[in-house]
Amino acid sequence: SPWKPLLLLLSPPAFSTTCARCAKDRRLRQKRAISERQLTRYFVDQRKVRVVGGQGGDGGHSFHSEPRKVFGGPDGGNGGDGGHVIFKADQQMKSLSSVFRFYQGFHGERGGSKNCYGANGGHMYVKVPVGTLVKEDGEVVADLTQHGEEYIAAYGGAGGKGNRFFLSNENRAPKLFTPGEPGQERVLHLELKTTAHAGLVGFPNAGKSSLLRAISRAKPAVAAYPFTTLNPHVGIVHYQDYEQVAVADIPGLIKGAHQNRGLGMAFLKHIERCRFLLYVVDLSVPQPWIQLQDLKYELEAYGKGLSERPCVVIGNKVDLAQSRINLPLLREQVAERVIALSALTGDNLEELLLHLRELYDTYVKTEQSRGQSPVKW
């Protein structure tokens, strides 16, 4: 074809021929694993926010005038209303780190001549994670638990009145007009409570993070020292029928956690939103049932009825010799179902996944019987 040389010139080359540096094969760089210490900069579960509504536009002040109609009367329009500041729950948001300290709605425009009203100010939407509590002076004013749920944090000011508004039979040429009102100003405290179906509860180094890594794609930090997990992690367990169960890894608790010892109440609040609990017990320690008793005591001391939620006891580290000795003793002391497994080797994870699905199905049926929609991931 006579057009073939021309097409070859117009088509872009498969690789760069300008220089050797540009012609190198550049591979996509993989994301580096973020350590638990570095994650504290990205995960924020508390934020103090000052919100101010937009100011209303001033009223217009003008008189109509045209040829053969000099005294046309007042025609100043009203000013536009200021915009609101609105908190909107978004399931894509997982932290309050992207929420700024100050927000203000857009101002309304001034009223114009010829009875033209000023445009209203646009609303300022602030995306917050699902499960965010909005508090003012220690009292809860909003609880955003559903995706797309909104709360007006600060109302915008009303627009001023133009001189046309004050026209009357007694005053045919009013010169009075009012300025726009300032927007509402508030100082609010945002508090995030992780919303998940199941919560892994246990003492430090019980193997919660290793278990979450084994059953989901989450990659929390794992180490041999206590308090490795400093922030809640949420892993998603996928099933063949496309159902997804969210499991939250709550940082380790210690005795006196309800009195703010250790990590304390900063992370006990994340357990409140879990529909059922997975108690992770280290089978290799002497008398592992004591751990379960202490965990239930801390939960009940923090919130009444919290320890009575549907649960299962997970005996971790069954691959150790001492764990096999303590397993029958634990089942004698505990009334709940005990699932013995090893998060390190993956032994008996199938039993946990099946029972986790049973707890999830029970939760869905209970919510549907109450006429409520269950939380979906």
Side-chain angles (χ1 to χ4, degrees):
S1 174
W3 300 101
K4 187 174 182 180
L6 182 60
L7 292 176
L8 291 176
L9 292 175
L10 295 178
S11 61
F15 55 90
S16 176
T17 58
T18 55
C19 62
R21 184 179 180 182
C22 298
K24 289 182 179 179
D25 181 16
R26 298 180 179 178
R27 298 181 180 178
L28 294 177
R29 297 180 180 179
Q30 296 181 354
K31 291 185 178 180
R32 293 186 303 174
I34 300 177
S35 65
E36 194 69 30
R37 297 286 180 179
Q38 294 173 330
L39 189 61
T40 57
R41 297 181 299 172
Y42 303 99
F43 182 83
V44 178
D45 58 355
Q46 289 186 355
R47 184 73 84 187
K48 182 179 179 181
V49 183
R50 177 170 165 259
V51 290
V52 180
Q55 184 172 356
D58 298 336
H61 176 264
S62 64
F63 289 89
H64 184 70
S65 178
E66 59 179 333
R68 303 184 187 88
K69 195 175 182 181
V70 181
F71 302 102
D75 65 348
N78 298 337
D81 297 332
H84 308 325
V85 179
I86 302 175
F87 292 149
K88 186 173 182 179
D90 189 350
Q91 62 184 5
Q92 300 296 330
M93 304 290 294
K94 303 301 179 184
S95 172
L96 295 174
S97 58
S98 60
V99 178
F100 298 125
R101 302 285 182 177
F102 174 75
Y103 287 98
Q104 185 174 21
F106 296 96
H107 301 317
E109 295 185 3
R110 181 186 180 91
S113 58
K114 299 181 180 180
N115 297 325
C116 292
Y117 283 28
N120 295 330
H123 301 318
M124 173 67 69
Y125 284 91
V126 182
K127 293 183 179 181
V128 296
V130 176
T132 301
L133 281 176
V134 183
K135 294 184 178 181
E136 185 178 19
D137 298 330
E139 297 183 359
V140 178
V141 295
D143 188 1
L144 307 178
T145 58
Q146 300 292 334
H147 174 71
E149 192 173 357
E150 298 179 358
Y151 171 71
I152 301 179
Y155 286 91
K161 303 298 183 182
N163 60 341
R164 171 73 180 183
F165 178 81
F166 299 98
L167 177 64
S168 63
N169 293 330
E170 292 77 14
N171 188 3
R172 305 299 299 175
K175 298 181 179 180
L176 177 63
F177 66 96
T178 59
E181 297 182 359
Q184 184 183 16
E185 182 175 355
R186 302 170 70 185
V187 177
L188 303 175
H189 294 266
L190 303 183
E191 182 178 317
L192 174 61
K193 293 186 178 181
T194 304
T195 302
H197 299 121
L200 293 173
V201 185
F203 283 95
N205 287 118
K208 302 183 300 299
S209 299
S210 300
L211 181 59
L212 186 64
R213 291 171 69 102
I215 64 177
S216 69
R217 294 183 180 179
K219 295 182 179 180
V222 175
Y225 52 85
F227 297 111
T228 309
T229 303
L230 301 177
N231 301 280
H233 293 265
V234 179
I236 307 300
V237 181
H238 299 270
Y239 289 91
Q240 293 182 353
D241 57 351
Y242 303 104
E243 284 288 349
Q244 298 179 356
V245 180
V247 182
D249 176 18
I250 308 299
L253 304 178
I254 63 173
K255 292 183 179 180
H258 68 281
Q259 299 175 352
N260 212 20
R261 294 180 183 176
L263 296 177
M265 301 174 63
F267 296 104
L268 271 171
K269 62 187 178 185
H270 293 281
I271 307 178
E272 294 184 37
R273 297 297 175 91
C274 297
R275 272 56 182 184
F276 39 89
L277 304 178
L278 308 178
Y279 294 101
V280 182
V281 177
D282 188 356
L283 286 176
S284 62
V285 300
Q287 297 181 345
W289 53 88
I290 301 297
Q291 292 187 4
L292 181 61
Q293 297 175 3
D294 294 338
L295 289 173
K296 288 188 175 183
Y297 175 77
E298 294 298 330
L299 295 181
E300 193 65 26
Y302 175 75
K304 188 175 181 181
L306 196 58
S307 63
E308 299 177 358
R309 293 189 178 181
C311 65
V312 63
V313 180
I314 300 174
N316 195 15
K317 305 181 183 180
V318 74
D319 53 310
L320 302 178
Q322 185 63 35
S323 300
R324 300 189 188 96
I325 300 175
N326 293 334
L327 178 58
L329 301 177
L330 175 64
R331 287 175 171 169
E332 292 178 0
Q333 298 289 335
V334 174
E336 293 84 3
R337 179 177 178 178
V338 178
I339 299 177
L341 53 83
S342 174
L344 180 62
T345 62
D347 294 340
N348 205 25
L349 287 178
E350 294 81 4
E351 183 180 357
L352 173 61
L353 295 176
L354 291 175
H355 188 66
L356 184 64
R357 181 58 189 270
E358 293 176 2
L359 292 174
Y360 173 76
D361 292 339
T362 304
Y363 155 71
V364 171
K365 292 179 181 178
T366 303
E367 292 296 316
Q368 291 177 351
S369 63
R370 296 176 180 175
Q372 301 178 358
S373 58
V375 176
K376 294 286 186 177
W377 280 75

